[in-house]
Amino acid sequence: MPTFDFKQLDVFSGVSLKGNPLAVVLGADSLTDQQMADFANWTNLSETTFLLAPRDPRADYRVRIFTTLKELPFAGHPTLGSCHAWLQSGGVPKGEEIIQECEIGLVRVRRQGAELAFIAPPLLRTGPVEAPLLERVRLGLGLAPEAIVRSQWVDNGAGWLAVMLGQRDQVLALQPDFSQLHGLAIGVIAPCDPARDEVDSHFEVRAFIAGDGVQEDPATGSLNAGVAQWLLAEGLAPARYVVSQGTVIGRAGRIHVERQGDEIWVGGAVAACIEGRVQL
């Protein structure tokens, strides 16, 4: 049975066990779609990635991203974790930036000191969430009618919609009824009050994927990339800000967002947890 280099990483945290875990299989060109799907299901993580030789000559490597149930065209923390694994395994980019190929296309990644950041991909769907769906979301989240102050589609491939609440403690108190939210990917965000909340972030985020193997994501790059495009376009966030995520489930994810000209970069730290080989 063939063996492959394998890494398990923690993304959006410089400390192991406090971010969003990711399994990465390197040199996975010989694996079939079914083998990838089976291994991703077995790891039981929110995402598992497989690194392959690029098909596009502009790319440094190609990645395929799987949840326990399906393949994704793009996801944020798998982008940073996969790039980290590729670099740590001796990958040398063709240019100053690293170019990742995935199902959504080419994604630029850059090094920011000890951290990595990816450029927010274009939104596939935007605009306000439709009233009937928003009411379903409100009921599933157990919120009062006036609790949601804004909503927006922020879908860049994972189907995200986002709702904004007024205060951080409202986000932390949520206990969703996932039976009412099946099939939805929902981000909930609220601004932080430095004096009251005593946190080092500007916003608190929670990400719910009803019906997926992991119903709350600890730290979500794709969601925060989409939310950043929404907030910055409407003047609801400064050009550089920090998001805290995973608080309720014992994590300490920190996602750094920065607008530079017309580009939005989403980044954070990556910590290596496990390295070895896997038989597949």
Side-chain angles (χ1 to χ4, degrees):
M1 182 176 290
T3 62
F4 301 84
D5 287 336
F6 170 81
K7 297 179 184 290
Q8 190 157 317
L9 311 163
D10 225 6
V11 183
F12 293 123
S13 173
V15 180
S16 297
L17 312 183
K18 289 297 182 181
N20 195 348
L22 176 74
V24 183
V25 178
L26 295 99
D29 300 80
S30 63
L31 293 177
T32 66
D33 293 358
Q34 191 60 54
Q35 285 175 307
M36 293 182 189
D38 288 346
F39 184 66
N41 180 268
W42 179 82
T43 66
N44 203 34
L45 297 176
S46 58
E47 282 99 8
T48 298
T49 66
F50 301 86
L51 299 191
L52 308 95
R55 295 178 298 191
D56 190 311
R58 296 169 293 176
D60 291 301
Y61 63 89
R62 178 180 167 220
V63 64
R64 294 184 66 182
I65 305 167
F66 287 78
T67 72
T68 57
L69 300 175
K70 62 184 179 181
E71 185 172 6
L72 298 178
F74 170 78
H77 101 274
T79 291
L80 297 189
S82 296
C83 183
H84 178 91
W86 183 77
L87 290 169
Q88 292 301 307
S89 298
V92 178
K94 298 171 183 175
E96 184 175 342
E97 295 179 344
I98 303 102
I99 306 299
Q100 171 183 283
E101 180 182 354
C102 56
E103 293 306 305
I104 204 172
L106 299 181
V107 177
R108 293 159 54 202
V109 183
R110 69 182 184 187
R111 286 175 271 209
Q112 296 185 151
E115 299 185 351
L116 293 169
F118 65 88
I119 192 166
L123 293 175
L124 304 178
R125 185 177 185 181
T126 186
V129 179
E130 299 81 356
L133 178 57
L134 188 61
E135 179 65 5
R136 178 184 165 197
V137 169
R138 182 188 72 79
L139 293 172
L141 294 176
L143 292 168
E146 69 279 3
I148 296 176
V149 296
R150 290 181 174 85
S151 71
Q152 187 85 348
W153 282 102
V154 291
D155 180 11
N156 48 23
W160 291 111
L161 65 85
V163 296
M164 178 179 283
L165 309 184
Q167 295 183 355
R168 177 176 183 260
D169 57 3
Q170 292 175 286
V171 176
L172 299 179
L174 290 173
Q175 296 182 339
D177 179 355
F178 289 105
S179 66
Q180 296 193 53
L181 302 173
H182 186 80
L184 298 178
I186 302 166
V188 186
I189 184 169
C192 297
D193 182 326
R196 181 187 64 236
D197 297 325
E198 298 182 347
V199 292
D200 60 350
S201 54
H202 300 83
F203 295 93
E204 184 76 31
V205 164
R206 293 179 72 182
F208 303 115
I209 310 98
D212 207 343
V214 179
Q215 292 186 319
E216 179 164 1
D217 201 47
T220 318
S222 59
L223 169 62
N224 280 288
V227 166
Q229 288 165 283
W230 170 34
L231 298 184
L232 291 167
E234 296 196 9
L236 300 173
R240 178 183 295 179
Y241 67 88
V242 179
V243 169
S244 53
Q245 190 179 342
T247 308
V248 172
I249 55 176
R251 308 295 174 84
R254 292 295 183 271
I255 298 97
H256 297 260
V257 175
E258 183 175 0
R259 178 171 59 192
Q260 293 187 350
D262 295 331
E263 298 178 339
I264 297 173
W265 291 86
V266 180
V270 181
C273 299
I274 301 170
E275 296 188 22
R277 294 185 65 79
V278 59
Q279 289 186 336
L280 292 174

